[in-house]
Amino acid sequence: MEAPDDRLGSLESELESLRARMRVLVDGSPLGIFFDDADDKCVFVNTTFCEMMELSEAEALGDGWAWTVHPEDLPRLLRDRAGAVAEGVALFRAEYRYVCPSGRRGWVEEQTRPVHGPGGELLGYVGTLAEIT
């Protein structure tokens, strides 16, 4: 039987391996991927998201991503997302315009789903952005 310290070390190693595989998978996606916490604040974006929106990961976190949403579309997007959160919608979809720091413009489709823990508690949201320009 493994000692508790050996078992913990084995689990930590397994977790690191899983994280590394997931990061490769997520960063290799042609979709922009983001994770929001239960307060709907962005806590992770993949490389594709950063390249698509011309933001660094640090710039996109929190509410930083919102700077790339076209100013005429942002109020509607925020209102619709808040409504979906309040209603507990299983899949939120929206199309909106973006404006990158370079001035490049286009359209994306966002799809966001809530993530629940084993006890049903809301852990946050996982979403994708697809370029539809």
Side-chain angles (χ1 to χ4, degrees):
M1 182 171 190
E2 275 185 288
D5 287 344
D6 292 342
R7 178 79 176 129
L8 181 59
S10 176
L11 288 173
E12 287 173 347
S13 176
E14 195 174 315
L15 180 59
E16 284 306 311
S17 177
L18 178 60
R19 282 186 181 142
R21 288 192 305 263
M22 290 304 296
R23 187 66 195 214
V24 169
L25 175 67
V26 168
D27 277 340
S29 172
L31 298 173
I33 297 174
F34 60 91
F35 301 142
D36 291 352
D37 64 17
D39 295 323
D40 206 21
K41 300 292 183 195
C42 185
V43 296
F44 171 85
V45 290
N46 72 341
T47 301
T48 304
F49 183 102
C50 293
E51 291 169 356
M52 189 185 299
M53 295 297 122
E54 298 178 1
L55 297 174
S56 69
E57 184 173 352
E59 291 169 330
L61 298 180
D63 291 327
W65 61 271
W67 288 104
T68 61
V69 178
H70 192 285
E72 292 176 9
D73 293 349
L74 184 59
R76 173 185 51 83
L77 175 63
L78 294 177
R79 181 188 66 241
D80 292 351
R81 279 179 108 196
V85 166
E87 294 172 22
V89 172
L91 174 61
F92 171 74
R93 288 185 181 166
E95 292 181 5
Y96 53 89
R97 294 171 289 176
Y98 66 84
V99 181
C100 292
S102 70
R104 183 174 55 82
R105 297 167 180 258
W107 283 83
V108 290
E109 178 188 34
E110 173 184 326
Q111 293 190 27
T112 306
R113 295 177 185 272
V115 177
H116 295 93
E121 71 279 11
L122 178 66
L123 300 176
Y125 304 89
V126 62
T128 60
L129 286 184
E131 174 69 54
I132 60 171
T133 302

